[in-house]
Amino acid sequence: MTEWQIIEKYFAMIPVKRDDVVLGIGDDAALLHQHQQQQLVVTTDTLIAGVHFPENTQAFDIGYKALAVNVSDLAAMGATPAWFSLALTLPAADECWLQAFTEGMSSLMQPYQLALIGGDLTRGSMAITISIIGFLPLGKGLLRSQARVGDDIYVTGSIGDAGAALAYLQGSLTIDAALMPAALQKLNRPEPRVQCGQALLDVAHAAIDISDGLLADLQHILQKSQVGATIDIEKLPLSTLLAKQLPRELAMNLALSSGDDYELCFTADPLQQTQIQTIAQTLQLTITKIGKVEAMPGLRWVQQDKAGSFHRENIGYQHF
Ligand code: ADP
Ligand code: MG
């Protein structure tokens, strides 16, 4: 197949049609209609085989996740995702792989009506780069820099599951396979918290999505906001797997330091507590208060009658 035949067969045919795409795939560039009273929100994320997912990951899951991690970045801004481009580098044009990959991507495009507006196709070691564009009303957005002293710190869903699944796949966690489907689902098909981010726009101060682990990502909020925090280890939202099946110490370490959960961590004024519980009920999503923003820089923990500080070596995955 020629390059263009592949693009036509697998990428130009995905049936999401938006009125604001004036010209999609097929020309030198796409043309997009600009909306009144909205600002554009843009982000890019690359997934590399062997770094961001195990080499033997199913093509469907790779397609899903490459898009999901980008959608998650927009969710953490409170934005509504709309358009994306796809730069795909593949070792070979394997049609079965391409079919499953686009099905995975498409399964997330449909519910959010995300249009694929262009991209690039090259040969090389497998890498997937997606740039996604969304909208925010003018002047709005959940920034890392907006946490305030006295804010409560919250986390959506449960954390540590994707890390447990990865450890299981890599052979460092030995556990009954029957216990793993839910955690594997979290690793391979994370659900970007788009509705939650949007609902938090006038409620939360700062937000981030947890891609590198709670400690690493919360520290980004603290540094950008020039504040510190204390979190209560006992309050960390653990799945049944982590709470019931894993040794306590391991479960805590996974919840604090493993990445790939794509839950949101955000801060909000204590007066918003009721509103946040209403959002949780409406979205049928657990939202757990885990700590407080403080003036003293650094990140500290309490656990029953013990207390301490986290140090730099606790922070998450670093590429360099
Ligand atoms: P050019 O050489 O002008 O960059 P290409 O041949 O790379 O053009 O691409 C032709 C058209 O196909 C462009 O509109 C481009 O955006 C689109 N395209 C290329 N690769 C992809 C892809 N992986 N997914 C979606 N669209 C793609
Ligand atoms: Mg090109």
Side-chain angles (χ1 to χ4, degrees):
M1 283 183 109
T2 67
E3 210 178 293
W4 177 245
Q5 283 169 331
I6 295 171
I7 294 164
E8 241 187 343
K9 182 165 177 192
Y10 293 102
F11 300 112
M13 301 314 278
I14 303 177
V16 171
K17 296 277 168 276
R18 296 179 58 105
D19 292 343
D20 53 15
V21 179
V22 181
L23 183 68
I25 292 171
D27 213 308
D28 295 317
L31 295 175
L32 304 170
H33 180 78
Q34 200 173 321
H35 293 252
Q36 295 291 314
Q37 298 304 312
Q38 302 280 314
Q39 53 192 335
L40 297 178
V41 190
V42 186
T43 184
T44 300
D45 253 323
T46 295
L47 265 64
I48 294 174
V51 177
H52 299 93
F53 54 87
E55 306 266 0
N56 59 358
T57 303
Q58 301 281 317
F60 186 103
D61 293 336
I62 298 172
Y64 177 96
K65 190 162 172 176
L67 186 53
V69 302
N70 277 278
V71 173
S72 176
D73 276 323
L74 292 195
M77 300 295 288
T80 303
W83 313 308
F84 71 100
S85 71
L86 167 70
L88 192 56
T89 306
L90 296 175
D94 174 343
E95 290 212 48
C96 285
W97 191 95
L98 281 162
Q99 180 66 35
F101 175 84
T102 45
E103 280 169 13
M105 222 171 48
S106 179
S107 74
L108 194 60
M109 291 167 65
Q110 303 302 336
Y112 293 109
Q113 285 298 292
L114 300 179
L116 175 56
I117 53 159
D120 203 11
L121 190 58
T122 48
R123 187 196 295 263
S125 305
M126 189 187 292
I128 304 114
T129 297
I130 287 180
S131 294
I132 190 165
I133 306 172
F135 310 117
L136 269 172
L138 279 178
K140 304 256 176 191
L142 300 171
L143 310 187
R144 296 179 181 188
S145 57
Q146 297 302 305
R148 298 182 204 161
V149 173
D151 277 0
D152 290 324
I153 301 170
Y154 292 90
V155 168
T156 63
S158 62
I159 48 177
D161 309 71
L166 188 62
Y168 168 76
L169 292 178
Q170 290 174 338
S172 61
L173 173 65
T174 312
I175 189 167
D176 184 353
L179 295 169
M180 293 311 289
L184 286 164
Q185 179 82 8
K186 281 285 307 245
L187 177 68
N188 291 322
R189 313 262 180 94
E191 270 183 64
R193 301 303 186 191
V194 175
Q195 284 91 344
C196 186
Q198 290 165 340
L200 289 171
L201 265 184
D202 291 311
V203 175
H205 284 153
I208 194 165
D209 63 325
I210 305 179
S211 53
D212 296 339
L214 174 65
L215 290 184
D217 290 316
L218 176 55
Q219 302 236 35
H220 290 312
I221 289 184
L222 301 181
Q223 275 158 9
K224 288 263 178 197
S225 303
Q226 297 184 290
V227 292
T230 296
I231 60 172
D232 185 342
I233 303 283
E234 298 298 321
K235 301 233 172 86
L236 294 178
L238 305 179
S239 66
T240 321
L241 173 75
L242 265 70
K244 301 261 157 68
Q245 305 292 343
L246 300 188
R248 185 121 187 102
E249 175 96 9
L250 174 61
M252 292 306 176
N253 280 334
L254 287 168
L256 288 168
S257 302
S258 71
D260 265 341
D261 285 307
Y262 297 97
E263 295 294 347
L264 296 183
C265 173
F266 64 93
T267 81
D269 190 293
L271 291 172
Q272 298 290 355
Q273 182 160 344
T274 320
Q275 184 57 29
I276 288 165
Q277 286 321 316
T278 306
I279 293 170
Q281 273 159 20
T282 310
L283 298 178
Q284 298 190 303
L285 173 68
T286 341
I287 302 182
T288 311
K289 186 161 77 179
I290 62 159
K292 271 217 165 286
V293 176
E294 298 164 343
M296 197 210 305
L299 182 50
R300 294 162 290 281
W301 55 269
V302 293
Q303 184 172 28
Q304 286 154 352
D305 50 0
K306 289 180 286 182
S309 310
F310 293 108
H311 298 289
R312 294 234 146 234
E313 58 269 26
N314 301 103
I315 69 176
Y317 189 83
Q318 303 264 323
H319 287 271
F320 299 103

